[in-house]
Amino acid sequence: MTVFHFFNCAILTFGPHAVYYSATPLSEYDTLGTSIKAALVYLGTALVKLVCLATFLNVSENDNFDPSQELLKALIGFIDVAGLYFALTQLTHRNISQNHKFQAIGLGWAFADSVLHRLAPLWVGARGLEFTWDFILQGIEANANLVFSISLAALGSLMWLRKNKPKTLIPIIYACAGIVATMPSITSYLRRSLGWHFPKVVGFELFTSLMMAIISWQLFSACQRPSST
């Protein structure tokens, strides 16, 4: 039963990444190399974030929400945006379209995040003797993070690679990117200040990720239309 539970949770956590790659044109255009490069950039970015968090954040004895510490954590979180910028603009890619590039980078980014933050707890915890919903919820949270990562990569692609985007959409693009980039601090506030339990936080993440995906898709579609000016 424990092994069965582990494999169920692992499939829920990592399976959607493989399904997304296989079910979209990413597999047809052989963008696996781009996803691997993005995953390596994520690992480097995570290392820089870890050093910054260990250097600048104070260790709190309680789990209360500290606005100053969370603000600093949010600012450090924008290192992810810098990493995505590097992955989108500086890495060499195959001759693929902008549409496929941001999807491949977002997919690799999300997969690396799931491996780094969820594989070890899943391996240790989901194989325990007592059944718990926590690891199923972590798998659902990984799916929300996949949507967030691809949405942020799409918004980054519009910010840094799309030159002829409508000027009226630029503030919306930056605002949406800011919301996605600060989502860890938002969920931390909900959990530690408002006292939301993990299932409610995951539900919020899932709903917000779907909303951001729809908005990002609409923005990307609008920026692809020929400009009237």
Side-chain angles (χ1 to χ4, degrees), residues 26 31 39 42 49 59 83-84 96 100 119 129 132 154 159 171 191 199 206 218 224:
L26 296 182
T31 59
Y42 174 84
K49 284 175 58 180
V59 178
L84 272 176
I96 58 177
H100 297 139
L119 181 59
L129 296 178
T132 174
M159 288 189 294
R191 186 176 62 254
L206 194 60
Q218 293 290 343
Q224 284 187 316

Side-chain angles (χ1 to χ4, degrees), residues 152-229:
L152 184 58
L155 295 168
S157 177
L158 294 178
M159 288 189 294
W160 304 313
L161 302 180
R162 177 70 64 174
K163 303 300 182 183
N164 58 341
K165 50 185 172 287
K167 293 182 178 180
T168 54
L169 296 181
I170 293 178
I172 302 175
I173 293 172
Y174 278 86
C176 291
I179 293 173
V180 177
T182 56
M183 188 54 59
S185 294
I186 295 173
T187 55
S188 177
Y189 172 78
L190 296 176
R191 186 176 62 254
R192 299 168 64 183
S193 184
L194 299 185
W196 284 24
H197 296 296
F198 188 43
K200 191 174 181 179
V201 173
V202 172
F204 171 79
E205 288 180 305
L206 194 60
F207 173 78
T208 308
S209 67
L210 293 176
M211 292 298 100
M212 295 308 303
I214 294 173
I215 294 172
S216 301
W217 177 70
Q218 293 290 343
L219 289 171
F220 201 89
S221 300
C223 291
Q224 284 187 316
R225 300 190 190 110
S227 178
S228 58
T229 56

Side-chain angles (χ1 to χ4, degrees), residues 100-115:
H100 297 139
K101 180 191 294 184
F102 83 77
Q103 291 184 71
I105 289 175
L107 181 62
W109 198 269
F111 183 77
D113 178 81
S114 292
V115 170

Side-chain angles (χ1 to χ4, degrees), residues 1-16:
M1 178 65 184
T2 57
V3 176
F4 181 72
H5 180 47
F6 167 75
F7 278 111
N8 278 340
C9 294
I11 290 172
L12 179 62
T13 302
F14 302 106

Side-chain angles (χ1 to χ4, degrees), residues 72-186:
L72 183 58
K73 190 184 298 183
L75 293 175
I76 294 174
F78 275 92
I79 296 175
D80 280 334
V81 178
L84 272 176
Y85 172 82
F86 180 83
L88 284 166
T89 63
Q90 302 300 317
L91 291 181
T92 56
H93 306 279
R94 290 173 56 89
N95 188 22
I96 58 177
S97 67
Q98 181 182 351
N99 186 19
H100 297 139
K101 180 191 294 184
F102 83 77
Q103 291 184 71
I105 289 175
L107 181 62
W109 198 269
F111 183 77
D113 178 81
S114 292
V115 170
L116 187 63
H117 293 103
R118 296 177 178 88
L119 181 59
L122 188 64
W123 175 256
V124 174
R127 293 165 62 244
L129 296 178
E130 184 179 353
F131 174 82
T132 174
W133 285 97
D134 288 347
F135 300 104
I136 295 177
L137 291 172
Q138 285 185 19
I140 298 174
E141 187 180 41
N143 295 336
N145 183 69
L146 170 62
V147 179
F148 276 132
S149 297
I150 295 177
S151 298
L152 184 58
L155 295 168
S157 177
L158 294 178
M159 288 189 294
W160 304 313
L161 302 180
R162 177 70 64 174
K163 303 300 182 183
N164 58 341
K165 50 185 172 287
K167 293 182 178 180
T168 54
L169 296 181
I170 293 178
I172 302 175
I173 293 172
Y174 278 86
C176 291
I179 293 173
V180 177
T182 56
M183 188 54 59
S185 294
I186 295 173

